[in-house]
């Protein structure tokens, strides 16, 4: 077990290092430099600016400085376009917003997906199973921007039930969270249905029935606990999906989260902000994936540890 | 015939080697034509109504995206003056005038956008971009992933260990983030390459955005395919026909290409088909946030993104690309599921 954990941690560190190095290299491959965008400043100003941000040093020194600052001091540098702000400030302002929406979306996706998948499997071949299959098949084919906009048109524009933008009241959360959880809920219900069907066909289910256990105990203690394992492995990709999916949802519903900060940093070519956000999100996803993988091995003793 | 008097004799009975008589020959005739792997799979696929309907839909979309535009009277970048913001089937003042003079004006089936471009042709070109991205990216994933996975699985040992660690690392990389990053930065060197180096002007013809997408998808998405192919090769390479091929002196390349990869054809087809919708999904995501295919070339994602501003007045402008993209993804998903059930039932989880 310890060996597996060590291997997994090392792998994550290598990945994180790789992602941040790629990020750094790509950002400095872009010609022109960050200060040359719109109106060209004078040579003296340019020199002073480059000196201030350490851009006059050799690339390798800049790389070392950036990595040391980012990983050992947690300092991702200043933003270029939003004067006087650091990348850390922008992230710490946007991330809680995105985390609330994303967390709620993950919760809703699990709360919808797991029961739907189980109900479908328990009623295999009946009408309710077919309805759920159709729902989830359509659900994984519709991109989140389509869901967001359809929700917006129907619930806000036509029916005028919900507010369209911002996050002022709890009512504001309904549409973004629904839009973000639509795809994962469908995916989880498909996953849950097939794994539940597999579990229901196992010998230990028959044994449990033969022992005379109640339906309730069989379902929750024996079937659900085993069938839920594939959903646990999906938690890592799910987190990555909600974080990147929030780019779109936050753009549509004009939510001041990390996603919209990231998108505007791309259109503004604010390189330190792009780099900082990428490294932050990548670290989050990589660490969560690692924790999920380790948790999975802890939960399921049947899996061989290599 | 075994001689019952001398059951242990090694002597061969000559009568066993006589030409077969008419009756004997009759008994050897095959009762039923043997069904090959392909025929069997195709037969099962054809019985699957949902998959067949999806296939028909995809063929219609392919015709719509690749053939109809060459006969269409408008082009995707043509801005028709005075015909801005038309509703579906509506004519502008000028066009009504032309019609009054007895000239025929081709109708705007889905109206025009704020620059006076016909939405229908843009929808066709957008579908073309999506389909191209999906199919080309999947073929590249197939090529890279299957060769990489096959080499790792076939040689095993240290080679396998190192190659699969690389796969593990790329697998844990958050793909969308790196894709966005690459899309943002790759454009400059590509434009440079296209403009300054002779022999690279084809990049401009296809479009820098599209080339970027192909490169980025090829860099990141092959790892899933490599893992699947490797695990198949690991079991296949222990089988007798590989030993036989080795004994006959076949080279490693020939064994991998001719014997091993052809034997995981079912898995390859299914995985490639299921890769198409996920590539289309990502492309529409990228175009939607504004870093996909470059304007004026439309993509379904960028059309949807542009339509959001006028969502209250022109909802059909958003609905058209939205329905199209969902239809394409849904159909490919269903075809993939059908192919999996037909060719590779074990893959079903």
């Amino acid at each position: 077990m310890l060996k597996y954990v060590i291997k997994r941690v090392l792998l994550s560190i290598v990945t994180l290092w790789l992602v941040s190095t790629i990020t750094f290299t790509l950002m400095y491959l872009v010609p022109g430099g960050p200060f040359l965008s719109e109106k060209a400043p004078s040579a003296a100003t340019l020199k002073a600016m480059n000196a201030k941000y350490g851009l006059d040093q050799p690339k390798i020194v800049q790389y070392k400085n950036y990595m040391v600052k980012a990983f050992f001091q947690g300092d991702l540098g200043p933003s270029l376009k939003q004067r006087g702000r650091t990348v850390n400030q922008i992230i710490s302002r946007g991330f809680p917003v995105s985390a609330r929406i994303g967390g709620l979306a993950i919760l809703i996706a699990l709360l919808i997906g797991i029961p739907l998948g189980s109900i479908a499997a328990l009623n295999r071949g009946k009408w309710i199973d077919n309805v759920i299959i159709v729902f989830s098949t359509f659900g994984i084919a519709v991109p989140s921007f389509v869901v967001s906009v359809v929700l917006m048109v129907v619930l806000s524009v036509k029916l005028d039930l919900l507010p369209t933008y911002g996050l002022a009241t709890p009512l504001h959360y309904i549409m973004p969270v629904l839009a973000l959880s639509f795809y994962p809920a469908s995916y989880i219900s498909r996953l849950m249905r097939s794994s539940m069907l597999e579990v229901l066909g196992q010998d230990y289910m028959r044994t449990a029935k033969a022992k005379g256990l109640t339906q309730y105990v069989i379902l929750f203690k024996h079937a659900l606990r085993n069938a839920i394992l594939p959903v646990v492995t999906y938690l890592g990709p799910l987190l990555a999906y909600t974080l990147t999916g929030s780019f779109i949802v936050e753009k549509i519903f004009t939510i001041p989260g990390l996603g919209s900060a990231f998108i505007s940093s791309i259109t503004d070519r604010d390189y330190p902000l792009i780099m900082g956000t990428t490294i932050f999100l990548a670290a989050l996803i990589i660490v969560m994936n690692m924790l999920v993988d380790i948790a999975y091995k802890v939960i399921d003793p049947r899996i061989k540890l290599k | 015939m075994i001689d019952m008097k001398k059951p242990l004799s090694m002597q061969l009975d000559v009568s066993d080697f006589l030409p077969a008589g008419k009756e004997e020959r009759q008994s050897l005739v095959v009762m039923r034509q043997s069904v090959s792997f392909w025929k069997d799979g195709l037969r099962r696929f054809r019985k699957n109504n949902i998959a067949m309907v999806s296939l028909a839909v995809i063929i219609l979309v392919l015709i719509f995206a690749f053939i109809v535009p060459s006969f269409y009277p408008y082009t995707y970048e043509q801005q028709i003056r005075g015909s801005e913001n038309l509703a579906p089937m509506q004519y502008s003042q000028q066009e009504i005038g032309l019609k009054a003079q007895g000239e025929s004006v081709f109708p705007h089936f889905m109206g025009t956008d704020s620059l006076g471009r016909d939405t229908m042709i843009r929808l066709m070109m957008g579908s073309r971009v999506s389909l191209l991205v999906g199919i080309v990216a999947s073929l590249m994933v197939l090529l890279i992933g299957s060769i990489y996975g096959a080499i790792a699985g076939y040689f095993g040992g240290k080679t396998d260990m190192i190659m699969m660690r690389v796969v593990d690392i790329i697998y844990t990389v958050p793909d969308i983030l790196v894709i966005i990053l690459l899309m943002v930065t790759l454009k400059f060197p590509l434009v440079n390459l296209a403009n300054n180096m002779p022999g690279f002007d084809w990049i401009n013809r296809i479009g820098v955005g599209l080339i970027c997408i192909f490169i980025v998808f090829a860099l990141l998405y092959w790892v899933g395919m490599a893992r699947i192919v490797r695990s198949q090769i690991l079991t296949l390479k222990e089988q007798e026909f590989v030993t036989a091929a080795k004994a006959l002196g076949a080279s490693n390349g020939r064994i991998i290409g001719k014997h091993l990869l052809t034997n995981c054809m079912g898995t390859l087809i299914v995985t490639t088909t299921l890769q198409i919708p996920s590539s289309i999904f990502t492309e529409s995501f990228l175009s939607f946030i504004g870093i996909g295919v470059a304007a004026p070339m439309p993509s379904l994602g960028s059309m949807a993104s542009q339509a959001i501003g006028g969502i209250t007045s022109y909802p059909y402008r958003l609905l058209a690309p939205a329905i199209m993209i969902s239809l394409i993804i849904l159909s490919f998903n269903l075809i993939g599921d059908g192919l999996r059930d037909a060719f590779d039932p074990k893959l079903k989880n």
Side-chain angles (χ1 to χ4, degrees):
Chain A
M1 186 67 211
L2 189 68
K3 214 175 152 193
Y4 176 79
V5 173
I6 291 171
K7 191 188 134 193
R8 199 65 190 74
V9 170
L10 281 178
L11 186 67
S12 306
I13 293 173
V14 171
T15 312
L16 193 55
W17 169 78
L18 190 79
V19 170
S20 41
T21 306
I22 291 175
T23 313
F24 187 89
T25 322
L26 286 176
M27 287 300 135
Y28 282 85
L29 275 182
V30 182
F35 304 118
L36 280 179
S37 48
E38 290 118 37
K39 41 191 178 183
S42 70
T45 330
L46 198 64
K47 210 177 162 199
M49 293 270 265
N50 278 336
K52 185 186 166 198
Y53 291 111
L55 296 177
D56 50 351
Q57 286 162 323
K59 290 268 177 337
I60 188 80
V61 178
Q62 288 184 37
Y63 171 70
K64 203 196 79 197
N65 287 346
Y66 187 84
M67 294 296 261
V68 167
K69 267 193 177 167
F71 287 107
F72 296 102
Q73 298 163 10
D75 178 9
L76 295 167
S79 159
L80 288 180
K81 295 288 154 81
Q82 304 185 34
R83 289 288 152 81
R85 278 242 188 82
T86 64
V87 176
N88 286 32
Q89 284 171 336
I90 296 173
I91 291 180
S92 62
R93 218 174 40 130
F95 182 64
V97 178
S98 302
R100 267 203 298 277
I101 303 242
L104 279 173
I106 290 178
L107 200 69
I108 299 283
L110 290 171
L111 285 179
I112 294 176
I114 293 174
L116 277 191
S118 314
I119 291 168
L122 290 171
N123 298 291
R124 185 184 192 174
K126 293 186 192 148
W127 66 269
I128 188 149
D129 182 26
N130 292 330
V131 169
I132 291 171
I133 289 177
V134 169
F135 162 80
S136 55
T137 312
F138 277 96
I140 58 163
V142 184
S144 59
F145 61 82
V146 176
V147 182
S148 310
V149 176
V150 169
L151 281 176
M152 201 161 166
V153 170
V154 175
L155 293 180
S156 303
V157 181
K158 297 271 183 248
L159 300 176
D160 204 18
L161 287 175
L162 294 170
T164 43
Y165 61 87
L167 277 182
T169 63
L171 272 185
H172 285 82
Y173 281 86
I174 295 177
M175 281 199 294
V177 168
L178 272 186
L180 205 50
S181 57
F182 195 71
Y183 174 88
S186 316
Y187 191 87
I188 291 173
S189 70
R190 275 167 71 102
L191 205 63
M192 196 64 203
R193 179 179 179 270
S194 61
S195 88
M196 192 63 142
L197 280 179
E198 207 187 306
V199 168
L200 290 178
Q202 298 284 325
D203 288 340
Y204 60 75
M205 291 304 294
R206 209 178 311 129
T207 313
K209 239 177 255 172
K211 277 200 304 188
L213 294 180
T214 60
Q215 198 71 27
Y216 177 85
V217 174
I218 293 176
L219 192 60
F220 283 89
K221 203 149 181 214
H222 294 257
L224 205 61
R225 268 177 67 176
N226 284 299
I228 220 160
L229 284 170
V231 178
V232 174
T233 49
Y234 179 62
L235 281 179
L238 175 61
L239 179 87
Y241 172 84
T242 36
L243 282 177
T244 47
S246 71
F247 298 172
I248 279 190
V249 172
E250 285 177 19
K251 183 188 168 189
I252 295 175
F253 294 103
T254 18
I255 295 164
L258 196 54
S260 44
F262 188 56
I263 297 297
S264 57
S265 75
I266 287 171
T267 36
D268 291 347
R269 310 269 147 171
D270 188 344
Y271 295 121
L273 190 53
I274 302 182
M275 266 161 78
T277 325
T278 307
I279 291 176
F280 175 75
L281 289 177
L284 195 67
I285 292 172
I286 290 168
V287 170
M288 287 306 279
N289 265 330
M290 181 185 80
L291 292 180
V292 165
D293 275 8
I294 293 174
Y296 182 57
K297 308 268 157 154
V298 175
I299 297 169
D300 193 354
R302 285 172 304 183
I303 293 164
K304 262 189 277 167
L305 296 171
K306 270 191 274 181
Chain B
M1 278 299 215
I2 298 164
D3 189 351
M4 294 312 286
K5 280 178 196 158
K6 289 180 271 177
L8 296 175
S9 161
M10 292 296 282
Q11 213 156 33
L12 294 169
D13 188 353
V14 186
S15 65
D16 282 351
F17 294 92
L18 289 175
K22 223 176 189 178
E23 264 170 56
E24 275 173 309
R25 247 184 251 175
Q26 201 63 46
S27 73
L28 285 173
V29 170
V30 184
M31 298 295 282
R32 192 165 54 127
Q33 202 113 55
S34 74
V35 185
S36 73
F37 170 75
W38 291 108
K39 271 193 189 148
D40 195 34
L42 280 179
R43 199 193 56 204
R44 261 179 287 173
F45 184 73
R46 259 192 232 116
K47 272 191 192 158
N48 187 337
N49 287 331
I50 297 174
M52 286 309 281
V53 170
S54 310
L55 188 65
V57 170
I58 287 297
I59 290 171
L60 284 180
V61 174
L62 281 171
I63 293 172
F64 178 75
F66 286 94
I67 298 175
V68 180
S70 18
F71 303 110
Y72 212 71
Y74 303 111
T75 63
Y76 69 92
E77 48 191 354
Q78 179 187 1
Q79 300 181 8
I80 307 159
R81 286 273 173 81
S83 304
E84 287 89 6
N85 290 329
L86 292 182
M89 296 308 285
Q90 193 192 351
Y91 293 98
S92 66
Q93 292 296 332
Q94 289 169 341
E95 284 166 348
I96 290 171
L98 280 176
K99 278 185 85 155
Q101 289 167 23
E103 283 184 50
S104 70
V105 175
F106 200 79
H108 303 288
F109 288 106
M110 286 190 187
T112 54
D113 64 7
S114 53
L115 295 172
R117 297 178 295 196
D118 188 80
T119 308
M120 192 72 178
I121 184 79
R122 288 183 69 73
L123 190 66
M124 289 179 203
M125 296 308 286
S127 317
R128 180 187 285 193
V129 168
S130 289
L131 288 168
L132 262 182
V133 166
I135 293 168
V136 175
S138 307
L139 288 179
M140 286 192 311
V141 165
L142 169 70
L143 193 72
I144 302 173
S146 61
I147 292 175
Y148 192 97
I151 291 175
Y154 180 70
F155 290 105
K158 275 233 167 61
T159 325
D160 183 36
M161 221 272 291
I162 294 167
M163 287 176 89
M164 289 329 276
R165 280 305 82 77
V166 173
V167 168
D168 284 348
I169 290 170
I170 299 182
Y171 207 78
T172 41
V173 166
D175 44 7
I176 294 275
L177 287 175
V178 177
I179 286 176
I180 291 175
L181 216 59
L182 283 167
M183 291 293 295
V184 172
T185 49
L186 261 183
K187 274 193 180 142
F188 296 95
L190 274 178
V191 170
N192 243 340
L193 194 68
N195 292 340
N196 301 334
M197 293 281 266
F200 279 102
D201 44 340
W202 52 269
I203 291 180
N204 276 337
R205 239 176 298 135
I206 302 176
V208 175
L210 265 184
I211 301 270
C212 259
I213 292 183
F214 291 155
I215 294 177
V216 167
F217 282 16
L219 278 177
L220 284 174
Y221 276 167
W222 55 271
V223 283
M225 176 72 90
R227 278 189 167 177
I228 293 171
V229 170
R230 173 181 168 268
S231 67
Q232 290 252 310
I233 299 283
L234 279 181
T235 51
L236 278 176
K237 74 169 180 184
E238 305 295 337
Q239 296 198 2
E240 285 86 355
F241 63 85
V242 178
T243 323
K246 264 188 203 157
L248 287 169
S251 67
N252 287 332
R254 190 182 157 84
I255 293 177
I256 290 177
K258 192 99 187 171
H259 299 287
L260 291 176
L261 282 180
T262 38
N263 266 296
C264 22
M265 207 47 107
T267 318
L268 292 182
I269 291 173
V270 174
T271 322
T272 310
T273 318
L274 288 173
Q275 177 66 44
I276 295 176
S278 83
S279 306
I280 294 178
F281 221 99
T282 313
E283 186 275 329
S284 74
F285 174 89
L286 292 175
S287 299
F288 188 84
I289 62 174
I291 51 173
V293 186
M297 181 60 105
S299 142
L300 294 176
S302 62
M303 284 176 76
S305 167
Q306 282 156 16
I308 282 189
I311 182 71
T312 41
S313 3
Y314 316 104
Y316 54 88
R317 269 192 216 161
L318 185 105
L319 278 180
I323 290 173
M324 198 66 190
I325 196 145
S326 309
L327 190 69
I328 293 175
I329 295 174
L330 181 67
S331 306
F332 273 117
N333 270 336
L334 293 174
I335 292 175
D337 285 352
L339 284 173
R340 185 192 57 201
D341 293 345
F343 284 101
D344 202 359
K346 274 178 293 176
L347 213 66
K348 198 169 187 170
N349 55 349

